[in-house]
Amino acid sequence: MRPDEFRPGEHRQGGPVRLALAAICAAMLIAMMGLTLVDVVGRYVFNSPLVGATELTELLLIGVVFLGLPAVTLDRGHVSVSLLSDRLPARFQPLREFVLSLVIAALLSAIAWRIWLQGNQLAGYGGTTETLDFPLAPVAWFCAGCTLLSAGLTLWLGVIGLRRTEHANR
């Protein structure tokens, strides 16, 4: 099922959780804009840029992307291309959606695992940001956790979609 097939309030999952994640991401985006404004004004008006503004902006961007991933997953807002699958008979569509959710969940799990290993490597040598000396391993573990959460949500949505179809066909 594509996002454009949804009607407001219908088939959406995780309403309060999705809303909370979106609100946190919005706050992070506003913080990024504020940081950039202070940095630019400080740099060009007072000849004194905000120390660590670039690193903070990068960290906030990481937060927006990886916190946004579960929110987009709950909203089923990922980009999808259907070249051949739309030509399948309607009775196969729920099974196709379920199989795709299995594949996507497996891929997201593999990505989460690799990011977790990267976090372990960063922790091993004490990787930090250059200016603010902020440790990078927890950032990688946070990204891995958000990606794994998205994998679980993808699988959960696939199961729910398949169960709804089974109940509708009875």
Side-chain angles (χ1 to χ4, degrees):
M1 196 174 303
R2 296 185 315 258
D4 58 327
E5 293 175 352
F6 288 120
R7 291 183 195 89
E10 183 181 342
H11 300 297
R12 300 239 183 205
Q13 304 297 326
V17 173
R18 187 179 57 80
L19 184 61
L21 290 172
I24 293 168
C25 288
M28 293 171 115
L29 283 171
I30 290 169
M32 284 172 44
M33 291 186 325
L35 272 170
T36 303
L37 176 69
V38 169
D39 186 42
V40 168
V41 169
R43 181 179 314 271
Y44 293 108
V45 175
F46 301 109
N47 200 24
S48 178
L50 183 62
V51 176
T54 302
E55 289 176 0
L56 286 173
T57 301
E58 290 170 350
L59 291 170
L60 285 169
L61 182 60
I62 289 168
V64 168
V65 168
F66 282 92
L67 267 180
L69 185 59
V72 169
T73 300
L74 282 169
D75 204 29
R76 291 187 176 209
H78 296 292
V79 174
S80 64
V81 177
S82 319
L83 297 175
L84 301 174
S85 60
D86 286 343
R87 297 173 195 235
L88 287 173
R91 67 178 188 264
F92 292 121
Q93 292 299 336
L95 182 60
R96 177 191 68 90
E97 289 290 327
F98 177 71
V99 170
L100 283 175
S101 71
L102 286 175
V103 170
I104 293 167
L107 290 171
L108 285 170
S109 297
I111 292 167
W113 172 64
R114 292 303 305 166
I115 295 172
W116 187 269
L117 292 179
Q118 185 67 32
N120 289 345
Q121 186 177 11
L122 287 165
Y125 65 79
T128 62
T129 60
E130 281 187 39
T131 306
L132 299 175
D133 205 32
F134 188 84
L136 291 172
V139 175
W141 294 328
F142 165 79
C143 294
C146 288
T147 306
L148 190 59
L149 175 61
S150 293
L153 290 172
T154 299
L155 188 57
W156 178 64
L157 290 171
V159 169
I160 284 177
L162 193 60
R163 291 180 69 195
R164 276 192 185 139
T165 305
E166 288 174 1
H167 290 295
N169 290 337
R170 288 183 187 176

